[in-house]
Amino acid sequence: MLTLPEPSVAPLRGGPGLRWGVLGPGGIAHDWVSTLHRNTDQRVIAVASRSMERSRAFADRHAIPHAFEGHEALLASADVDVVYVAAPHAQHRPLALAAIAAGKHVLIEKPMALDAIEAEQIAAAARAAGVFAMEAMWTRYLPQSDLIARLLADGALGDVRTVTADLGWRWEFATGDPRFDPMVGGGVMLDAGVYPLWFAHSILGSIDGVHAIGSIAPTTAEVEAVISLRSATGASASLTASATATTPGLAAVYGTTGSVLFDSSFVFPARLSVISDGREHEWVDDSGLAGRDGLAWQAAALAAYVAEGRMQSPLHSLDDSIAVLRVLDEVRRQIRSQAE
């Protein structure tokens, strides 16, 4: 009879603490700083924006002692240990490279870059500089993700044959909305779509077959995607991403002797069922964190990795980030070529 393993995650409190700087004080940065200050020992001590007024307003809102106009001043501060790049997609590469050049550890909001080539450049720079770099694929650091990894390692599901995942948030199309501008990384794949692709990669490993269909906005940014993947082992994945409809965000892993089925969105702290040996075992994240409060886990994990002397995440490496972006690049290519 299966006994569910206890997830092993970095403690939110009591572990090593770092002094953080934030580049790009937008919505995701607000949620991230809020949960860090409420739920962890990590502290944000500086924020920078191209607008001093915007930077100061964000600092006041979150009791951050230092506000800067422009990233250069923040990166020059000896008080900052690590930088969180929370700016729009197109700014991830230049800001990450600037932080690395300044000798700062860096957490880069997902997706790490606009494409795999840019991600390779970031990874190469971090390795050459000897600083820690990590993509903020925050769902990987939630307790549920460690639970699934342990089930897979223990062979509780047998040989995994199929993975499914969907994610969709409806956007109203508007001319000038950067979410629909492919020149700055607009489109559903670099937003919602990266999550199902990451989930499949985290379960199946190397992907050697990609087939995608979808639709595009008038700007040519993709707004719907249906994706079939084949892994190097012959397993498959069926994934969807949408900016035209809001979906429940469910995911599942099907093996020869067991399955994992999410009962709530797989990107947030979740409920799931594990079916093994004909029995169903329910598991619920009991951390008390919900929704984007779960962003706290990745920051605690990063602080632990830096204290251990690591240069990248053992759970979602730089090579993993690059591999996911390679698949994402191919998905976007296929969808856009269908519209030509």
Side-chain angles (χ1 to χ4, degrees), residues 88-101:
H89 302 333
Q91 294 301 309
H92 289 185
R93 175 186 172 275
L95 290 178
L97 292 178
I100 290 166

Side-chain angles (χ1 to χ4, degrees), residues 109-132:
E109 189 49 60
K110 62 84 193 160
M112 192 162 78
L114 290 179
D115 55 37
I117 292 175
E118 287 193 357
E120 289 171 345
Q121 294 169 347
I122 294 170
R127 287 165 175 150
V131 300
F132 183 94

Side-chain angles (χ1 to χ4, degrees), residues 45-288:
I45 67 160
V47 58
S49 171
R50 285 176 292 185
S51 161
M52 186 60 190
E53 181 180 2
R54 189 162 178 252
S55 183
R56 173 49 61 194
F58 190 89
D60 290 344
R61 183 177 188 182
H62 294 284
I64 298 171
H66 303 293
F68 296 104
E69 182 175 9
H71 67 270
E72 296 88 354
L74 184 150
L75 296 180
S77 172
D79 295 330
V80 174
D81 301 314
V82 56
V83 171
Y84 171 48
V85 176
H89 302 333
Q91 294 301 309
H92 289 185
R93 175 186 172 275
L95 290 178
L97 292 178
I100 290 166
K104 305 297 186 186
H105 304 304
V106 62
L107 175 67
I108 309 157
E109 189 49 60
K110 62 84 193 160
M112 192 162 78
L114 290 179
D115 55 37
I117 292 175
E118 287 193 357
E120 289 171 345
Q121 294 169 347
I122 294 170
R127 287 165 175 150
V131 300
F132 183 94
M134 181 174 114
E135 181 181 27
M137 192 61 71
W138 66 286
T139 305
R140 178 60 186 91
Y141 303 93
L142 298 176
Q144 67 216 33
S145 294
D146 188 74
L147 172 68
I148 294 173
R150 287 174 178 268
L151 290 169
L152 294 173
D154 292 344
L157 308 182
D159 295 328
V160 173
R161 301 307 305 158
T162 303
V163 173
T164 64
D166 82 85
L167 196 62
W169 296 300
R170 177 172 170 75
W171 304 339
E172 288 293 339
F173 178 79
T175 302
D177 187 333
R179 294 178 299 178
F180 297 96
D181 184 353
M183 299 304 294
V184 295
V188 72
M189 287 310 301
L190 284 175
D191 191 274
V194 70
Y195 286 109
L197 287 183
W198 156 76
F199 185 73
H201 172 82
S202 72
I203 303 297
L204 300 179
S206 178
I207 302 298
D208 64 5
V210 180
H211 180 68
I213 59 174
S215 59
I216 62 172
T219 57
T220 75
E222 73 287 346
V223 292
E224 294 174 321
V226 179
I227 307 156
S228 295
L229 303 179
R230 183 184 64 249
S231 76
T233 63
S236 65
S238 178
L239 315 172
T240 61
S242 178
T244 62
T246 298
T247 72
L250 302 183
V253 181
Y254 298 98
T256 54
T257 62
S259 305
V260 175
L261 293 84
F262 278 80
D263 299 322
S264 60
S265 179
F266 75 97
V267 301
F268 302 125
R271 304 184 311 272
L272 54 83
S273 298
V274 179
I275 301 173
S276 180
D277 298 325
R279 297 173 180 267
E280 183 173 349
H281 310 264
E282 294 185 352
W283 182 88
V284 179
D285 185 322
D286 62 1
S287 67

